[in-house]
Amino acid sequence: MQVTTVLEKINATVGEGPHWDEKTQSLFFVDILNGRIHCWNSQTNKDTYVELDGNVGFVVPSSKGDLIIGLNRTLARLDFSTKKVTPLVEVEHNLTNNRFNDGKCDPVGRLFAGTMDNVKKSNGDLMKERGSLYCLDTDHSLSTHAKKISISNGLAWSLDNTTMYYIDSIPRKVYAFDYDKETGATSNQQIVVDFDMTTEKEEVFPDGMCIDEEGMLWVACYYGAKVVRFNPISGKKLFEVKIPALRTTSCCWGGPNYDELYVTCAVSGASDDELMEYPLTGSVFKVTGLGIKGLPPTVYDG
């Protein structure tokens, strides 16, 4: 196994939401707080980006050739070449401090994306249970699937398409919902990985997530400097990959054979001492030689 740096210190705030684009063999990701959507082409090793006015929580390619983004409290289309933003729907008009965080598409191309509070209290904590998890269907209709979410994060679907996995970071839990592929309905929320019941320290939080071809979950651990592979059936930790950045935020599979794990991290809030210990903070990393593959991601089909 080897961890290499793909883009050194590319993110200035919160690097997040990596998403592999199979068509172009490129990695999309966002730098949330400065509104940047990056596209790194693995064949040319060239990174380009669009910078928007606001916070961008995630980016997902669509079947129409553009991108779907979470811009502040709005789900929107983005033409990467022209920088044109076309709003689709705005949520939570009464919670103006909220913003979208992570987002991902289900197996048939619906977009699931959740929100969180974006203003810290005087003690540095975010307001809890202010967010929700939404689904933007392919006909652009919007439905709510979870409420009282603190930091909406990782999403993944089981190999048999009957379970949706979902992370709310603050309670330090990975949840499973019964999932209906035909309708997108979710029900019967359960805990499958509870960080309070593992050996993870109290300050380590589950963040972004992906799933491999064996149905195991890969969870980026914020304040943990690692990605951990969990069995969602037993809830047990299988092994971990150390990442040279404390604030590990998310991960996705990529490469021609989906045997490369791409990992993002955050810079915001890092002390000088932390940056001394983790000088590659803000970079995008690639993990190879795992002997495990992931699955092609789904794009938005609306």
Side-chain angles (χ1 to χ4, degrees):
M1 183 187 71
Q2 184 178 18
V3 179
T4 57
T5 304
V6 172
L7 293 164
E8 185 172 331
K9 301 180 183 179
I10 191 70
N11 295 299
T13 65
V14 182
E16 256 282 15
H19 193 291
W20 188 259
D21 183 50
E22 186 171 271
K23 185 177 180 180
T24 62
Q25 290 294 294
S26 298
L27 181 73
F28 284 98
F29 60 97
V30 298
D31 192 356
I32 294 177
L33 302 183
N34 65 9
R36 289 186 179 181
I37 301 101
H38 286 265
C39 178
W40 171 72
N41 187 305
S42 66
Q43 297 175 324
T44 64
N45 197 31
K46 181 181 179 181
D47 176 71
T48 55
Y49 68 86
V50 169
E51 186 171 330
L52 303 178
D53 184 16
N55 298 321
V56 181
F58 69 88
V59 56
V60 174
S62 89
S63 58
K64 293 183 177 180
D66 59 356
L67 303 171
I68 306 298
I69 60 172
L71 177 62
N72 298 323
R73 291 180 292 106
T74 299
L75 298 175
R77 308 193 84 105
L78 170 67
D79 185 315
F80 195 79
S81 60
T82 66
K83 304 182 183 180
K84 180 182 178 181
V85 175
T86 304
L88 295 174
V89 62
E90 185 179 24
V91 302
E92 301 172 358
H93 299 272
N94 60 325
L95 296 171
T96 56
N97 289 331
N98 276 19
R99 67 165 174 84
F100 273 102
N101 201 41
D102 211 348
K104 196 174 290 185
C105 289
D106 75 358
V108 296
R110 305 179 189 93
L111 174 71
F112 280 76
T115 56
M116 58 175 283
D117 185 80
N118 200 36
V119 177
K120 290 187 177 182
K121 296 185 291 184
S122 58
N123 65 355
D125 291 340
L126 293 168
M127 295 288 289
K128 297 179 181 179
E129 299 185 348
R130 306 262 291 186
S132 297
L133 177 65
Y134 300 96
C135 174
L136 183 70
D137 213 322
T138 54
D139 62 359
H140 295 178
S141 61
L142 190 74
S143 55
T144 304
H145 288 253
K147 295 182 178 180
K148 294 187 175 181
I149 301 300
S150 293
I151 300 182
S152 185
N153 254 314
L155 289 153
W157 284 263
S158 62
L159 304 187
D160 63 3
N161 296 326
T162 63
T163 303
M164 182 182 80
Y165 300 108
Y166 174 58
I167 289 174
D168 185 358
S169 294
I170 293 297
R172 305 206 320 149
K173 291 173 176 55
V174 182
Y175 299 101
F177 292 80
D178 291 345
Y179 164 75
D180 187 323
K181 179 181 176 181
E182 299 305 315
T183 66
T186 56
S187 60
N188 191 28
Q189 180 179 354
Q190 303 176 61
I191 299 169
V192 291
V193 178
D194 188 345
F195 271 44
D196 290 341
M197 303 300 290
T198 69
T199 58
E200 302 302 331
K201 297 179 180 178
E202 289 184 5
E203 66 270 19
V204 175
F205 297 90
D207 202 318
M209 171 173 61
C210 61
I211 194 166
D212 65 31
E213 64 179 358
E214 298 176 0
M216 303 295 107
L217 301 178
W218 295 71
V219 179
C221 296
Y222 196 83
Y223 292 135
K226 60 187 172 183
V227 176
V228 177
R229 188 183 192 227
F230 286 101
N231 184 326
I233 306 303
S234 66
K236 300 298 184 182
K237 174 180 175 179
L238 302 177
F239 66 84
E240 65 183 39
V241 178
K242 292 289 188 181
I243 302 297
L246 184 65
R247 299 162 192 260
T248 313
T249 55
S250 193
C251 54
C252 78
W253 295 99
N257 300 312
Y258 288 97
D259 56 357
E260 301 168 353
L261 187 71
Y262 288 87
V263 182
T264 54
C265 64
V267 181
S268 293
S271 65
D272 290 342
D273 288 344
E274 181 180 327
L275 296 175
M276 286 284 289
E277 184 176 357
Y278 299 97
L280 291 175
T281 292
S283 302
V284 174
F285 305 99
K286 178 172 68 174
V287 187
T288 54
L290 289 165
I292 301 169
K293 295 182 180 181
L295 303 169
T298 307
V299 300
Y300 181 63
D301 199 24

